[in-house]
């Protein structure tokens, strides 16, 4: 008999509105390991940073005038994205071990606002960030919906806030004969972009710059992979961007699109009862480098596998860093765990009384392998505690609660 599903190991009640966003901190080189802080954002624009050691708030501030759509650490800053059509860059919060259990709201840090970027947040689609490798100053590309047309994508450069690519998707390209393979579902109008990811494909046998790609999920239930096939650093009106493949697996809008850390597959969920997995790699697991002249839309069906569940109404999805397990948050408040390879159900987590809107797996903690089994730091926090923390899953809900779960390893799943 399988073990009973776990209960949350911690509950956080830092929010008075539904929790929309949740993420763990990344490692700081020379400072702290991964997962030291948990970021949460709610529908009122409040962002809270919580220590994962003491479970006390380190910072709490109203980052936006409307709901928070996204939060992500980058370099020495934290980016927040709000429904007020703004992306803000704030100073990064350091873990403050001196805060005691009696710390009051007045003791909490309010980070400094570094700069802001005007964006289009009509469609609830959060930004996607791609740090640029090999840049000494710390640069990144930021993908967001177009400023005017919410079915298109813009790419901005940070920290300069200069738009490099505008209106991706406006010109589908002559290589695409049928813009949407619909699997018999719906029409070809994409509607709003609901979720997107930016990534780059390196050319191992070429000195050319990596090829930029955008994976986008749309209101019509479709997903499209766009690639930039020109050498210019700047494009307008979507010129130079081609749809490598497009497929419509859902009968309802894409409510969540998660990209595997390896970038070789993605998972989408919707208001319907379907889960879809999209292959971005070949049989050897290598990211597919597609020549636009060789596009064959008849192969699109082979790139997507759909799984029918008994549970319609899904609001969030996330993939574990090792790519073996993914979690789906549903409108019934439950979190369902699946194998990414077989779609086998691995368990159901039940606590929330409202829809689960946000999910995040903890990062792997590289410091675990470098610390002795009995070694502990000044907070009596050792490798065993770090290993357990790397198996955490955090969830946020309409019920305004944040739950932290300690999961099994699900080995060989």
């Amino acid at each position: 008999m399988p073990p009973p599903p776990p209960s949350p190991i911690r509950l956080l009640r830092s929010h008075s509105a539904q929790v929309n966003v949740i993420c763990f901190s990344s490692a700081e080189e020379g400072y702290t390991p991964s997962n030291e802080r948990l970021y949460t954002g709610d529908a009122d624009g409040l962002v809270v940073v919580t220590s994962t050691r003491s479970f006390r708030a380190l910072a709490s501030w109203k980052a936006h005038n409307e709901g928070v759509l996204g939060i992500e650490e980058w370099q020495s800053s934290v980016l927040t994205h709000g429904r007020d059509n703004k992306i803000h860059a704030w100073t990064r919060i350091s873990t403050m071990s001196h805060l005691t259990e009696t710390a009051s709201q007045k003791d909490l840090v309010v980070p400094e606002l570094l700069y802001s970027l005007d964006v289009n947040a009509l469609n609830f689609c959060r930004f996607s960030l791609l740090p640029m490798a090999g840049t000494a100053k710390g640069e990144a590309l930021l993908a967001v919906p177009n400023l005017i047309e919410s079915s298109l994508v813009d790419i901005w450069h940070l920290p300069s806030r200069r738009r490099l690519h505008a209106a991706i998707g406006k010109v589908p390209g002559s290589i695409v004969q049928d813009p949407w393979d619909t699997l018999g579902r719906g029409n070809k109008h994409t509607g709003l972009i609901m979720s997107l990811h930016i990534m780059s494909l390196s050319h191992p046998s070429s000195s050319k710059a990596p090829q930029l790609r955008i994976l986008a999920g749309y209101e019509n239930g479709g997903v499209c992979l766009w690639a930039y096939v020109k050498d210019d650093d700047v494009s307008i009106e979507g010129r130079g961007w081609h749809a490598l493949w497009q497929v419509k697996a859902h009968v309802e809008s894409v409510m969540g699109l998660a990209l595997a850390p390896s970038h070789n597959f993605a998972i989408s969920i919707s208001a319907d009862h379907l889960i879809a997995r999209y292959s971005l790699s070949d049989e050897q697991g290598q990211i597919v480098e597609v020549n636009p002249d060789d596009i064959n839309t008849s192969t699109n069906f082979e790139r997507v596998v759909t799984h029918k569940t008994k549970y319609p109404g899904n609001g969030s999805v996330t993939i574990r860093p090792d790519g073996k397990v993914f979690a789906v948050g549903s409108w019934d408040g439950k979190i369902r765990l699946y194998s990414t390879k077989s779609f086998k159900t691995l368990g159901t987590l039940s606590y929330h009384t409202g829809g689960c809107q946000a999910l995040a797996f903890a990062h792997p903690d590289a410091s675990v392998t470098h610390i002795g089994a009995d070694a502990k730091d000044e907070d009596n926090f050792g490798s065993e505690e770090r290993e357990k923390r790397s198996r955490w899953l955090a969830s946020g809900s309409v019920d305004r609660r944040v739950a932290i779960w300690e999961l099994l390893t699900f080995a060989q799943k």
Side-chain angles (χ1 to χ4, degrees):
M1 179 180 294
S7 298
I9 61 169
R10 283 283 180 169
L11 297 174
L12 305 179
R13 298 176 173 87
S14 305
H15 296 275
S16 58
Q18 75 175 44
V19 180
N20 294 336
V21 183
I22 194 163
C23 72
F24 286 93
S25 64
S26 53
E28 296 175 78
E29 185 175 356
Y31 293 95
T32 61
S34 302
N35 310 315
E36 287 291 307
R37 299 170 296 281
L38 182 68
Y39 291 85
T40 52
D42 67 27
D44 285 343
L46 184 73
V47 172
V48 178
V49 186
T50 303
S51 167
T52 58
R53 297 193 182 203
S54 66
F55 295 101
R56 301 291 296 181
L58 302 174
S60 178
W61 77 102
K62 191 172 177 61
H64 295 275
N65 295 325
E66 297 186 44
V68 180
L69 296 176
I71 304 173
E72 186 170 340
E73 285 188 340
W74 173 58
Q75 298 288 328
S76 60
S77 63
V78 176
L79 302 179
T80 64
H81 185 185
R83 281 280 291 158
D84 55 2
N85 301 307
K86 296 284 187 180
I87 289 179
H88 296 313
W90 310 84
T91 54
R92 186 166 174 168
I93 302 298
S94 297
T95 302
M96 294 160 40
S97 57
H98 67 271
L99 274 180
T100 65
E101 290 293 321
T102 59
S104 67
Q105 195 74 15
K106 295 181 180 179
D107 297 317
L108 300 183
V109 174
V110 176
E112 177 187 356
L113 179 62
L114 301 175
Y115 57 85
S116 300
L117 178 68
D118 292 325
V119 295
N120 172 17
L122 173 65
N123 41 350
F124 295 88
C125 176
R126 65 151 285 171
F127 69 87
S128 178
L129 187 73
L130 176 66
M132 299 173 66
T135 55
K137 296 181 179 179
E139 301 175 59
L141 299 179
L142 183 84
V144 289
N146 178 257
L147 285 170
I148 299 174
E149 177 53 60
S150 296
S151 63
L152 308 177
V153 181
D154 289 345
I155 297 178
W156 297 76
H157 175 269
L158 293 182
S160 70
R161 288 165 283 170
R162 183 168 63 99
R163 187 163 63 170
L164 300 180
H165 301 276
I168 298 168
K170 187 169 186 177
V171 181
S174 58
I175 59 172
V176 180
Q177 302 300 319
D178 181 356
W180 287 103
D181 282 333
T182 64
L183 299 180
R185 304 186 179 106
N187 56 42
K188 299 178 182 179
H189 298 292
T190 67
L192 306 178
I193 289 181
M194 304 298 290
S195 183
L196 61 83
H197 295 276
I198 182 172
M199 54 187 145
S200 64
L201 171 65
S202 298
H203 299 265
S205 59
S206 172
S207 60
K208 293 182 179 179
Q211 184 186 72
L212 287 179
R213 293 189 177 184
I214 294 286
L215 184 69
Y218 293 89
E219 188 179 16
N220 75 336
V223 169
C224 177
L225 180 63
W226 297 92
Y228 188 55
V229 297
K230 290 189 175 182
D231 295 329
D232 300 333
D233 293 332
V234 177
S235 69
I236 59 173
E237 300 295 311
R239 294 170 186 154
W241 287 86
H242 291 279
L244 298 185
W245 55 259
Q246 303 165 308
V247 65
K248 185 175 183 294
H250 294 286
V251 296
E252 301 287 349
S253 301
V254 173
M255 300 302 294
L257 179 64
L259 178 65
S262 61
H263 292 180
N264 61 1
F265 72 94
I267 301 282
S268 69
I269 51 94
S270 171
D272 59 30
H273 65 294
L274 300 173
I275 299 173
R277 185 183 67 232
Y278 307 87
S279 175
L280 307 178
S281 64
D282 59 19
E283 295 180 356
Q284 286 72 43
Q286 299 298 314
I287 306 302
V288 177
E289 181 178 342
V290 182
N291 185 335
D293 296 330
D294 298 331
I295 293 295
N296 179 2
T297 57
S298 65
T299 64
N300 289 358
F301 297 116
E302 300 174 3
R303 296 192 178 278
V304 60
V305 177
T306 58
H307 174 67
K308 295 181 180 179
T309 73
K310 300 178 181 178
Y311 314 104
N314 298 306
S316 56
V317 61
T318 187
I319 300 172
R320 201 171 68 176
D322 64 3
K324 295 181 179 180
V325 177
F326 70 97
V328 174
S330 300
W331 295 349
D332 61 7
K334 291 182 171 55
I335 303 162
R336 296 176 174 90
L337 305 173
Y338 298 90
S339 163
T340 56
K341 183 177 180 180
S342 65
F343 289 110
K344 177 183 176 181
T345 301
L346 303 178
T348 301
L349 307 177
S350 181
Y351 166 76
H352 294 293
T353 58
C356 183
Q357 302 293 101
L359 290 169
F361 280 108
H363 303 291
D365 193 335
S367 67
V368 171
T369 59
H370 301 293
I371 299 177
D374 299 325
K376 295 181 181 291
D377 60 19
E378 59 187 19
D379 292 329
N380 203 33
F381 206 78
S383 59
E384 182 179 352
E385 288 79 11
R386 287 195 174 93
E387 190 279 329
K388 289 181 179 179
R389 189 172 61 179
S390 69
R391 291 188 276 112
W392 284 2
L393 172 70
S395 59
S397 169
V398 173
D399 63 13
R400 308 185 299 278
R401 306 290 174 82
V402 172
I404 298 176
W405 314 79
E406 187 177 297
L407 303 182
L408 301 173
T409 58
F410 297 114
Q412 299 179 347
K413 299 300 182 183

